[in-house]
Amino acid sequence: MANLDYKQSGVDYEPLDGFKRACQAHAATTRAALLDGQTIDGYREVAGIRGESAFLLEGHDHYLAHVEEGLGTKNLVADAVERATGQCHYRAIGIDTVATMINDLITCGADPISVAMHAAVGDGRWFASSDGVDGGLSRRAKELAQGFAEGCLQSGAIWGGGETPALKGMIVPDTIVLAGSCVGHVKPKSRLIVGDIRAGDAIVFLASSGVHTNGLTLCRAVADRLPLGFETPIGDSPLAPTFGRALLEPSVIYAKFCRKILDAGLRARYFVHVTGHGWRKLMRAPAALVYRIDEPGKIPALFDFIMQAGPIDKREAFATFNMGVGWAVYIDAADAAMCVRIAESLGHRAWVAGTVLKDDGRKAVEIPPHDIVFEEASLSVR
């Protein structure tokens, strides 16, 4: 059986990234809107921010951060699992929808303030119960609202509102498209994560809880190749979860950790939310440096299963999935051990994974234990 990759499953990053770059170029032409004397607090765009995970505006004593993000296709896995088992996992989907926004927002050092939900359906009956009881709401609708609120509480943000359009003819009737936006602030300004990475800095990893919200289209393609689909156990143990259940583990939200290490005054240079583009994202910062990962950690059973069941080449897996790592911190080597201790005090599994090196202007991610190297040309998000 031929190996699977993300492009074959229906997600080709080349045109997606090309559109992002085109949007960034056109978006830059709108800066004049901040110079017409009509803006409040004299906000101005932060230089070099386009291409980062969060957009920043600078005020007189703070920065304002904004993110717009979408869940992707993880809810389709939840739908398939519910059809097979009767178990609803939309609480986890609600948490995931918040996580995909908040984990991008906090990369700049922002504290989340407000989150909004965008929940678009092909038919308003998606929200309705079949028997008209329980307030007329379906179990999945109630769990989605509960989980979204839970994600906001984990983030330290208020759920401020949202939009629920019914888009007949555009969205499959029994499906929901989940996305949203969030705002936060960096105050005082000294808490801003500016990406001043330097050779000798340590790279600290925080574990993920699973796939989080990226690569689900490829996971769905894997399930299509399995006789039992999402009901396939991912191990030989009687206690092993099914593939679908493992994929639906709620994403980790790292907001409290980031707040705590900044409160502690640690010299964090850069944060990376390890999501789209997998470990290639470790070289998202503009600096021409080599990010060498000598301690990548053990590949979790879920990702071993995905690689074997696909089959999916290990390099493709590291280029697509988080492979057990949801968050990376680039930090002064003297502060790395304290960073790990703070993460562990909050219940995260964390470790010093690598080092930043300088190599005559070269930019790359090197993972020697897996004999994988991603050169600069493999990541084009700016």
Side-chain angles (χ1 to χ4, degrees):
M1 185 181 294
N3 279 17
L4 279 172
D5 61 35
Y6 212 14
K7 186 174 182 178
Q8 290 172 345
S9 72
V11 180
D12 184 353
Y13 271 130
E14 187 172 344
L16 291 173
D17 290 343
F19 180 64
K20 288 179 184 178
R21 294 192 297 273
C23 286
Q24 288 170 20
H26 286 287
T29 68
T30 68
R31 292 191 187 106
L34 296 178
L35 303 176
D36 63 5
Q38 303 302 310
T39 58
I40 299 172
D41 203 32
Y43 283 113
R44 66 182 182 87
E45 180 181 323
V46 174
I49 197 62
R50 296 187 185 272
E52 292 293 335
S53 296
F55 181 69
L56 282 171
L57 292 171
E58 183 177 5
H60 75 278
D61 66 347
H62 67 284
Y63 295 95
L64 190 66
H66 177 251
V67 163
E68 164 85 12
E69 258 298 345
L71 174 75
T73 65
K74 192 169 183 175
N75 55 298
L76 295 183
V77 179
D79 292 341
V81 169
E82 184 168 11
R83 286 193 297 270
T85 68
Q87 297 173 347
C88 183
H89 292 275
Y90 267 84
R91 170 188 160 274
I93 294 299
I95 294 171
D96 283 320
T97 306
V98 175
T100 195
M101 294 180 269
I102 292 294
N103 285 339
D104 273 1
L105 183 83
I106 60 178
T107 55
C108 65
D111 281 322
I113 297 174
S114 176
V115 184
M117 174 196 283
H118 188 95
V121 293
D123 190 315
R125 286 175 290 184
W126 189 95
F127 300 104
S129 64
S130 58
D131 53 16
V133 301
D134 238 356
L137 282 181
S138 63
R139 178 172 60 171
R140 61 189 177 185
K142 290 185 292 182
E143 286 201 13
L144 174 60
Q146 175 193 356
F148 199 91
E150 187 173 337
C152 291
L153 290 171
Q154 289 183 27
S155 308
I158 190 171
W159 180 355
E163 172 71 355
T164 53
L167 305 176
K168 185 176 181 179
M170 295 182 66
I171 298 175
V172 177
D174 199 37
T175 305
I176 190 167
V177 178
L178 291 164
S181 63
C182 57
V183 295
H185 69 175
V186 182
K187 187 175 182 179
K189 286 184 173 182
S190 59
R191 293 170 70 95
L192 182 68
I193 301 297
V194 297
D196 55 339
I197 307 169
R198 58 196 71 179
D201 283 346
I203 303 170
V204 173
F205 280 171
L206 275 67
S208 69
S209 58
V211 295
H212 286 190
T213 60
N214 197 71
L216 272 300
T217 301
L218 184 52
C219 293
R220 289 164 48 224
V222 171
D224 287 342
R225 291 187 169 194
L226 299 170
L228 296 179
F230 290 118
E231 290 305 291
T232 306
I234 66 167
D236 297 327
S237 166
L239 300 177
T242 63
F243 183 32
R245 180 64 188 85
L247 290 176
L248 291 168
E249 191 67 30
S251 300
V252 179
I253 295 175
Y254 301 95
K256 291 181 181 177
F257 160 76
C258 293
R259 187 179 300 118
K260 192 161 185 176
I261 68 166
L262 293 176
D263 286 346
L266 301 191
R267 289 159 289 183
R269 318 275 194 208
Y270 199 60
F271 292 144
V272 171
H273 178 201
V274 186
T275 175
H277 303 83
W279 285 32
R280 292 175 291 168
K281 193 69 76 60
L282 295 175
M283 57 177 165
R284 182 167 197 160
L289 296 164
V290 174
Y291 306 96
R292 183 182 176 94
I293 309 300
D294 292 308
E295 299 291 340
K298 187 178 185 298
I299 295 175
L302 172 60
F303 295 103
D304 272 333
F305 175 85
I306 290 170
M307 288 190 291
Q308 293 168 17
I312 296 171
D313 176 77
K314 183 185 286 188
R315 178 183 174 85
E316 175 68 17
F318 274 90
T320 302
F321 300 109
N322 67 56
M323 299 304 284
V325 177
W327 196 258
V329 182
Y330 301 80
I331 195 164
D332 189 294
D335 290 338
M338 177 61 75
C339 180
V340 170
R341 288 196 293 272
I342 288 174
E344 291 175 341
S345 75
L346 294 170
H348 298 287
R349 185 168 62 85
W351 67 98
V352 179
T355 308
V356 179
L357 306 172
K358 196 166 183 64
D359 186 9
D360 296 325
R362 176 169 165 253
K363 185 178 184 180
V365 176
E366 297 181 347
I367 317 168
H370 295 297
D371 195 26
I372 293 173
V373 176
F374 295 118
E375 298 290 347
E376 181 178 6
S378 69
L379 183 71
S380 302
V381 295
R382 291 184 180 276

